[in-house]
Amino acid sequence: MRHARSQSGFTLLEIMVALVILGVGLSAVIKTVATHVKASAYLQDKTLAHWVAVNKLTELRIAEKPPETGKTEGKYKLAGVEWKWKMEVKPLEGNAYFNEVTLIVYLDDEKSPYTTLATYFGKP
């Protein structure tokens, strides 16, 4: 009498199905990690731009006189990056004693600023 041997192990088809499942799962993980890294970089830039705006407004606050009305722009280096900013000082509507100051900070593309801050100063 012959005894049939039981075979152990995986068939080629089972291995290929497992590899497909593993590949799909790993691609989803890689996409999630890439999205997280991109979002983290954007949030870091947005935070730095906010610090630039706060620093510029602080410089205005400690200056000897309030800013004059009009538009100005300049550059500010922070964390090894040269940020560009634009500031507009205009009279506050309906108030004869204050000016509104709006500061916009961006990198290269003026159409998509990283932050915009507004505050008020007493007129000179």
Side-chain angles (χ1 to χ4, degrees), residues 49-107:
H50 183 77
W51 288 351
V52 169
V54 169
N55 288 349
K56 289 303 297 174
L57 291 178
T58 301
E59 288 175 5
L60 290 175
R61 288 197 188 282
I62 63 174
E64 301 224 356
K65 63 179 188 168
E68 299 290 328
T69 57
K71 294 182 180 183
T72 56
E73 59 184 67
K75 296 178 181 179
Y76 192 95
K77 193 165 186 171
L78 180 68
V81 178
E82 191 169 83
W83 297 89
K84 297 175 184 173
W85 57 267
K86 287 186 177 183
M87 182 175 62
E88 181 178 8
V89 181
K90 61 183 179 182
L92 183 60
E93 289 184 32
N95 192 314
Y97 302 105
F98 289 96
N99 284 332
E100 179 181 9
V101 178
T102 305
L103 190 71
I104 300 170
V105 180
Y106 55 95
L107 280 172

